Amino acid sequence: MTDEILPSVTAIPTYEASEIEAGRKLFSRPVTFLLGVAQLEQLPPEDKTEICFAGRSNVGKSSLINAVTGRKDLARTSNTPGRTQQLNYFDLDGACHIVDLPGYGFAQAPKGIVETWQNLIKQYLRGRVTLRRVFVLIDSRHGFMKADLEMMKVLDESAVTYQVVLTKADKLKKGQLEKRIKEVVNALVKHPAALPKIFATSSEKNTGLGELRAEISSLL
């Protein structure tokens, strides 16, 4: 159910009760860590739909994955940005793979290692046939930052369909959030691989999670 902090704007997708329920049922199934991928050769066979979460370090990606899946510690959260150093694969009861990309934009690691992560991400995005959707997480308090735009450019050039998910929406007042949503949607017009519908979520308040689950369910 949508929390009252979400503004009534057409940019936020709406779903039938049956679609929300389908999403709930999907994520009530077991979800487990499958493997961590540090090199392309370690990627699993392309035999399942993959849903990917990408975002700048400290955007709240691990918290959102945990909230969407209903698990407290599936994805590791940390006070130190940039701790995820590989593509982490999670298996959703055989229905699909959820992929957690390394946070971009900042990492407490040597420059060479960071560049290796970035190259791995780019190669994965450009060559993964089973990748159905990338959810690009944007901190609603800040909007698009340079690192976000760089990631979106890679997705545009790779023709990988992606959708923006605003995180920490509960940190803004309703008017501020509505302004941010309009700002983001207007900017997405310039990005050919971006879908115009976005999500406004809060892992802390469970806002927008039902809608996000419904969207993922519809992709399978």
Side-chain angles (χ1 to χ4, degrees):
M1 186 173 182
T2 304
D3 190 282
E4 64 179 3
I5 70 168
L6 290 181
S8 178
V9 293
T10 57
I12 302 292
T14 56
Y15 300 87
E16 300 291 336
S18 59
E19 295 173 308
I20 296 291
E21 177 62 11
R24 186 197 68 77
K25 285 184 176 180
L26 174 65
F27 282 95
S28 68
R29 295 161 65 175
V31 54
T32 56
F33 176 75
L34 183 63
L35 80 162
V37 174
Q39 299 176 346
L40 287 179
E41 295 76 18
Q42 299 171 334
L43 286 169
E46 296 178 272
D47 57 1
K48 287 185 177 67
T49 296
E50 294 181 6
I51 306 299
C52 179
F53 287 86
R56 189 170 52 81
S57 295
N58 216 24
V59 75
K61 181 160 51 66
S62 295
S63 295
L64 182 67
I65 292 174
N66 288 337
V68 167
T69 59
R71 308 306 195 274
K72 291 184 178 181
D73 55 1
L74 183 68
R76 294 181 180 179
T77 58
S78 172
N79 291 326
T80 304
R83 285 292 298 276
T84 303
Q85 302 177 8
Q86 56 191 4
L87 279 67
N88 287 320
Y89 267 76
F90 302 96
D91 178 57
L92 181 52
D93 196 31
C96 72
H97 287 156
I98 297 173
V99 185
D100 180 11
L101 291 190
Y104 54 80
F106 176 86
Q108 288 191 343
K111 182 178 179 181
I113 294 178
V114 174
E115 290 177 349
T116 298
W117 301 346
Q118 292 172 340
N119 289 332
L120 174 64
I121 291 172
K122 289 178 181 179
Q123 292 178 62
Y124 165 75
L125 294 174
R126 289 171 176 163
R128 199 66 177 167
V129 176
T130 48
L131 179 58
R132 185 70 186 277
R133 181 74 50 82
V134 175
F135 291 103
V136 178
L137 277 53
I138 304 294
D139 192 322
S140 61
R141 299 171 299 177
H142 308 304
F144 291 127
M145 301 185 73
K146 181 181 178 181
D148 300 316
L149 298 175
E150 290 173 352
M151 170 58 75
M152 291 161 63
K153 182 180 179 181
V154 171
L155 292 167
D156 289 332
E157 292 175 346
S158 306
V160 176
T161 302
Y162 62 97
Q163 205 161 4
V164 166
V165 178
L166 293 177
T167 62
K168 308 179 184 181
D170 59 307
K171 305 302 181 183
L172 296 180
K173 294 181 179 178
K174 183 176 179 180
Q176 294 174 317
L177 181 58
E178 184 163 354
K179 181 179 179 181
R180 179 69 71 205
I181 290 172
K182 290 180 179 178
E183 172 189 298
V184 167
V185 171
N186 288 339
L188 290 178
V189 175
K190 302 176 182 178
H191 296 273
L195 294 177
K197 298 288 186 178
I198 71 173
F199 298 90
T201 67
S202 166
S203 300
E204 189 173 319
K205 303 293 184 181
N206 291 327
T207 303
L209 302 185
E211 290 77 6
L212 185 53
R213 293 186 189 112
E215 180 66 23
I216 294 172
S217 176
S218 74
L219 298 173
L220 305 185

